Amino acid sequence: MKTILILTSKDVPQFKAEPLQELHAEMANNGYEVIYPDSREDLIKLIEQNPRVASVVFDWDDFGLELCAQISELNEKLPLFGFANQNIVLDVNLADLRLNLSFFEYHMGQAEDVFAKIRQGVEAYVDEIMPPFTKALFKYVDENKYTFCTPGHLGGSAFLKSPVGSIFYDFYGPNTFKADVSVSMPELGSLLDHSGPHKEAEEYIAKVFNATSSYIVTNGTSTANKIVGMFAAPSGSTIMVDRNCHKSLTHLMMMSNVTPIYFRPSRNAYGILGGIPKSEFTREVIEQKIAATPNASWPTYAVVTNSTYDGLLYNTEWIKKTLDVKHMHFDSAWVPYTNFHKMYQGKYGMSGATVPGKVVYETQSTHKLLAAFSQASMIHIKGEVDHETFNESFMMHTSTSPQYGIVASTEIAAAMMKGNSGRRLIQNSVERALNFRKEIKKLRAESTGWFFDVWQPEGIEEADCWPLKPEDAWHGFKNLDADHMYLDPIKVTILTPGMSKNGTLEDSGIPASIVSKYLDENGIVVEKTGPYNLLFLFSIGIDKSKSLKLLRTLTAFKRAYDQNMKVKNILPGLYAENPSFYGEMRIQELAQGIHDLMRKFKLPDMMYHAFEVLPQQEMTPHQAFTKVLNDETEEVYVEELVGRTNANMILPYPPGVPLVLPGEMITEESVAVLDFLLMLIEIGKHYPGFDTDIHGAYKQDDGRYKVKVLKK
């Protein structure tokens, strides 16, 4: 971090130029890069685009307090040094400003002293922005100690004793291995008892994320969810679970002897996951569910997915006040950035103040939409808990040998979000997503024939969490509550032709799975593919070039489709899976064939009905899993599921939420669930390469699927 920006006016008088030249030479001799912006605007752009800028030196005579304020909006910690004529009056009260600003006068022969002060400022800046655990880890690596403990590669040296190990070492680089250390290092503290720099890191994270306390989890939000649930829902208790939950919460119910009752969210014809209606959070409805569920009592713990996979956020302040449950858990794996933009206020778990008598938890996948290593996750808590007992649950699910690189990346993700620079990162993401949405709408208006659309309110101009209003048609959800659900602009859902806004299938269409395969062939990976929709996440790592690449590739698909190219030319990877089937087939024939299958199965009606009636709960997931462990299961074909108690969860991707849970039985009333599964299987059977990944269903040699059920 050794880049210094020096800003002066165009015509610098000699008495100023000479001291600056001396200073430049001193900086260069000490390994610093010096850049001279052309203007104030150029300087601001350089700071925006180059996070390695360590300081700004400028002429106070020409650029004063206004420039400092502009820089502070980008990075309030960046050290600023103003050079001034010795006769100037500094008409600024620094005590009233939160600016890291120092002054020098123009004098010859003082470059060494001036540079020493600048270097001190840069070093103090780096020290201040570095969070505590990462700082301690870097210090440990710099000390280069000899260790006689785990891990066995000993800072990477073991890899260098083997040819293949050397290749591995060279790929990742030395610091990766030097920072992979044992829990035996007392100067780094412990993640398991939250001591030393680990404790400081979690306190730092809690402050950044507006939490009472926070925990770093090194094996994902799947584990974070189970840690919270194991603590908040003791054996024998009743819990309330979002039916569109992540499978980790189903695993929690399989591990722990709890009785679940379910929040019932909606879906629209596109298969987009909707929200839980307000009525589901009321005491009256909860009492009805308890009365209908054997052995159920008032729940101690409730978990809500916020945001949904498709970017719908709840009015969490209303839920926190209304839901009469002590332990309230928001599974916010997909939105770790909500605390850093004002438009999310009141729409995430840690928003606002503590709620008397309640504890709110928010689990976040730091790695998903912030900058951290895979498996980096956080648990945030608002309210008071018994931390010793909570830590027992934490340790049940956490390795005694955590990966310190993941710990450091989690902390760095928090540090990146701190202050103005963090808010700017999220603002930039929001703006890029909004601009992309506008470009799709513009291309749609200009295109001959069809083009892609965006799932969003009509006529949007400004970025916001757009409300889903009951009277609007664009969202496709029935019986919505007002002031309850909001669309996150960062999550962009592109619609393909084939389904009208009222949720009916048109005569022709382009299933999104075909577009998804084309994008993948061209180096673009889609987050989620539905029947006629594609989800893209505009995280802080998305820049203009990636956004333009996506636009160009979508436009290229339209051209190829309109020209009715052969499948082997437009989708060579798909063709390679089954050349005899795809042979001379053209893209429009493929699209229409899959679309006709969707029409045959009446997809929109199926999307509504498959989730209207839940399968019948015969026993709890824990009881069912106990029978599985005791080998009290057998296999049947999927089409024979009606009337049988399921042994495992059945979970199709997309969207990746459980459809049938262990211990549940599909009955004639809930047979639409089975019809939905059979439709997914049928498409894969007709069109090679379009199989749906169905967790809990096993493809046989004859192409049919079997599932495990409990023996009668």
Side-chain angles (χ1 to χ4, degrees):
M1 207 174 213
K2 288 191 172 184
T3 299
I4 306 290
L5 304 182
I6 297 181
L7 179 64
T8 63
S9 59
K10 292 291 183 184
D11 301 314
V12 183
Q14 195 69 15
F15 81 92
K16 293 183 177 181
E18 289 297 329
L20 288 176
Q21 288 173 9
E22 288 183 351
L23 180 60
H24 183 141
E26 187 69 23
M27 289 177 173
N29 289 338
N30 284 273
Y32 281 73
E33 176 189 30
V34 183
I35 297 176
Y36 291 86
D38 291 331
S39 63
R40 176 201 304 262
E41 292 71 26
D42 189 32
L43 178 131
I44 295 299
K45 282 294 181 185
L46 282 167
I47 295 173
E48 285 181 340
Q49 297 173 7
N50 185 0
R52 296 183 184 277
V53 170
S55 179
V56 174
V57 177
F58 65 99
D59 190 328
W60 180 263
D61 298 345
D62 296 317
F63 306 96
L65 191 58
E66 184 181 347
L67 175 64
C68 298
Q70 281 185 279
I71 295 172
S72 182
E73 286 179 7
L74 300 176
N75 184 350
E76 70 273 30
K77 302 296 184 183
L78 193 67
L80 310 178
F81 297 95
F83 269 82
N85 187 317
Q86 60 181 342
N87 296 321
I88 194 167
V89 176
L90 302 178
D91 55 347
V92 54
N93 183 358
L94 297 181
D96 294 335
L97 298 172
R98 301 184 66 180
L99 299 173
N100 191 3
L101 177 61
S102 302
F103 290 97
F104 300 109
E105 294 180 354
Y106 289 106
H107 286 297
M108 296 287 292
Q110 294 187 0
E112 186 175 345
D113 291 339
V114 170
F115 171 70
K117 291 289 189 348
I118 292 174
R119 181 169 55 189
Q120 288 172 7
V122 170
E123 290 172 352
Y125 166 62
V126 172
D127 185 70
E128 183 173 6
I129 65 174
M130 284 292 291
F133 174 79
T134 307
K135 191 187 298 183
L137 183 62
F138 284 10
K139 182 176 183 293
Y140 171 83
V141 169
D142 288 341
E143 289 172 350
N144 199 26
K145 293 182 177 180
Y146 287 97
T147 60
F148 291 84
C149 57
T150 61
H153 62 72
L154 295 180
S157 60
F159 290 111
L160 296 175
K161 298 180 182 294
S162 157
V164 68
S166 297
I167 294 169
F168 185 75
Y169 180 91
D170 292 343
F171 179 84
Y172 283 103
N175 280 342
T176 299
F177 302 104
K178 290 178 181 177
D180 183 26
V181 299
S182 167
V183 293
S184 303
M185 307 305 169
E187 59 264 59
L188 296 178
S190 169
L191 182 65
L192 300 177
D193 61 18
H194 312 281
S195 61
H198 279 93
K199 177 184 179 182
E200 294 172 24
E202 290 178 328
E203 290 173 345
Y204 178 95
I205 288 168
K207 188 174 181 180
V208 171
F209 283 83
N210 194 36
T212 306
S213 55
S214 294
Y215 289 78
I216 296 169
V217 181
T218 57
N219 37 350
T221 302
S222 295
T223 293
N225 286 341
K226 285 178 275 193
I227 291 170
V228 172
M230 190 69 74
F231 169 77
S235 180
S237 64
T238 298
I239 67 175
M240 290 204 71
V241 183
D242 188 338
R243 186 66 190 197
N244 285 342
C245 67
H246 186 261
K247 66 180 181 180
S248 59
L249 290 157
T250 304
H251 285 141
L252 168 69
M253 293 186 284
M254 293 165 68
M255 294 165 64
S256 186
N257 185 22
V258 294
T259 300
I261 54 179
Y262 297 104
F263 292 116
R264 295 283 305 281
S266 59
R267 294 196 186 198
N268 64 12
Y270 282 108
I272 293 173
L273 306 178
I276 301 164
K278 280 185 173 181
S279 59
E280 293 279 298
F281 297 101
T282 62
R283 173 170 282 275
E284 180 183 3
V285 171
I286 294 172
E287 286 175 343
Q288 292 171 3
K289 293 177 187 287
I290 292 170
T293 305
N295 303 314
S297 58
W298 193 262
T300 59
Y301 165 72
V303 57
V304 174
T305 307
N306 185 62
S307 82
T308 66
Y309 207 148
D310 301 280
L312 297 183
L313 293 154
Y314 290 93
N315 179 344
T316 55
E317 293 306 299
W318 183 88
I319 293 174
K320 286 188 279 187
K321 292 174 183 175
T322 304
L323 183 57
D324 188 11
V325 173
K326 180 178 180 180
H327 298 280
M328 206 173 305
H329 174 190
F330 292 98
D331 179 0
S332 299
W334 295 91
V335 285
Y337 48 81
T338 43
N339 190 51
F340 310 105
H341 198 293
K342 61 183 180 181
M343 71 181 181
Y344 296 113
Q345 190 64 33
K347 302 175 182 69
Y348 62 99
M350 292 298 103
S351 177
T354 56
V355 182
K358 299 177 184 179
V359 182
V360 178
Y361 307 84
E362 191 164 35
T363 50
Q364 297 177 348
S365 290
T366 318
H367 66 95
K368 278 190 168 72
L369 283 156
L370 296 182
F373 287 147
S374 291
Q375 299 190 45
S377 183
M378 302 178 188
I379 299 171
H380 304 301
I381 303 173
K382 191 175 283 289
E384 294 301 323
V385 298
D386 180 341
H387 287 281
E388 288 187 4
T389 306
F390 187 89
N391 199 49
E392 287 298 322
S393 180
F394 180 89
M395 290 192 292
M396 284 179 193
H397 298 279
T398 302
S399 170
T400 53
S401 301
Q403 222 290 345
Y404 280 17
I406 298 176
V407 174
S409 77
T410 311
E411 183 189 49
I412 285 293
M416 289 174 65
M417 290 296 101
K418 189 177 180 183
N420 292 346
S421 57
R423 286 186 285 273
R424 179 169 57 88
L425 283 173
I426 301 305
Q427 178 61 32
N428 289 346
S429 284
V430 171
E431 289 174 358
R432 280 191 292 272
L434 182 65
N435 290 336
F436 178 81
R437 291 170 178 274
K438 289 181 177 180
E439 286 296 324
I440 290 289
K441 285 292 190 181
K442 178 172 174 283
L443 289 170
R444 180 175 172 82
E446 295 172 351
S447 291
T448 302
W450 71 276
F451 195 68
F452 301 96
D453 203 354
V454 193
W455 189 67
Q456 64 184 31
E458 297 296 332
I460 61 169
E461 290 297 331
E462 301 295 328
D464 198 359
C465 284
W466 300 299
L468 275 64
K469 298 178 180 179
E471 64 271 20
D472 289 346
W474 66 270
H475 49 70
F477 292 110
K478 300 177 180 178
N479 304 318
L480 274 182
D481 296 300
D483 303 320
H484 187 50
M485 301 296 300
Y486 305 84
L487 176 60
D488 184 351
I490 284 177
K491 295 186 176 181
V492 181
T493 296
I494 298 296
L495 305 178
T496 63
M499 186 176 288
S500 65
K501 289 188 176 180
N502 63 9
T504 58
L505 287 177
E506 298 168 344
D507 293 338
S508 62
I510 305 174
S513 54
I514 297 173
V515 183
S516 182
K517 287 185 180 296
Y518 179 81
L519 292 171
D520 188 66
E521 296 263 12
N522 287 274
I524 295 173
V525 180
V526 179
E527 174 56 41
K528 191 197 79 169
T529 304
Y532 295 92
N533 53 286
L534 303 155
L535 177 64
F536 300 91
L537 308 179
F538 276 69
S539 66
I540 60 176
I542 297 296
D543 55 25
K544 290 180 181 178
S545 63
K546 292 184 176 71
S547 181
L548 287 171
K549 166 76 171 175
L550 177 55
L551 279 172
R552 285 196 300 268
T553 309
L554 290 172
T555 304
F557 176 85
K558 172 183 165 53
R559 286 197 300 269
Y561 182 87
D562 290 348
Q563 293 167 11
N564 200 18
M565 291 176 62
K566 292 181 179 179
V567 170
K568 64 181 179 184
N569 295 326
I570 187 174
L571 297 171
L574 178 64
Y575 171 79
E577 289 190 38
N578 199 319
S580 61
F581 178 83
Y582 287 108
E584 298 300 304
M585 183 184 292
R586 293 184 178 272
I587 190 67
Q588 291 183 16
E589 178 188 349
L590 173 62
Q592 192 61 37
I594 299 177
H595 181 71
D596 286 342
L597 275 176
M598 303 282 199
R599 297 178 71 203
K600 172 187 171 183
F601 281 94
K602 299 180 180 178
L603 175 71
D605 289 339
M606 186 177 294
M607 283 293 184
Y608 288 125
H609 297 312
F611 307 99
E612 275 186 342
V613 180
L614 295 181
Q616 183 173 302
Q617 184 174 310
E618 295 292 298
M619 61 186 72
T620 68
H622 177 76
Q623 291 166 338
F625 187 55
T626 300
K627 290 183 177 293
V628 172
L629 295 176
N630 288 321
D631 200 25
E632 299 177 33
T633 64
E634 59 186 352
E635 289 188 345
V636 300
Y637 286 107
V638 168
E639 51 267 34
E640 301 169 352
L641 257 179
V642 174
R644 301 302 303 270
T645 303
N646 205 59
N648 297 329
M649 78 173 93
I650 299 177
L651 182 148
Y653 286 94
V657 297
L659 196 62
V660 186
L661 297 181
E664 291 185 338
M665 176 190 292
I666 294 177
T667 63
E668 292 299 331
E669 288 76 19
S670 57
V671 74
V673 174
L674 178 58
D675 292 339
F676 178 66
L677 285 171
L678 293 175
M679 180 199 71
L680 297 177
I681 293 168
E682 189 78 6
I683 292 172
K685 189 184 299 183
H686 276 76
Y687 292 94
F690 287 90
D691 302 78
T692 298
D693 179 15
I694 306 175
H695 175 105
Y698 314 102
K699 192 174 183 179
Q700 308 299 302
D701 291 341
D702 60 1
R704 298 169 72 190
Y705 283 76
K706 283 188 173 182
V707 295
K708 280 187 177 181
V709 296
L710 301 182
K711 290 178 180 178
K712 290 186 177 180

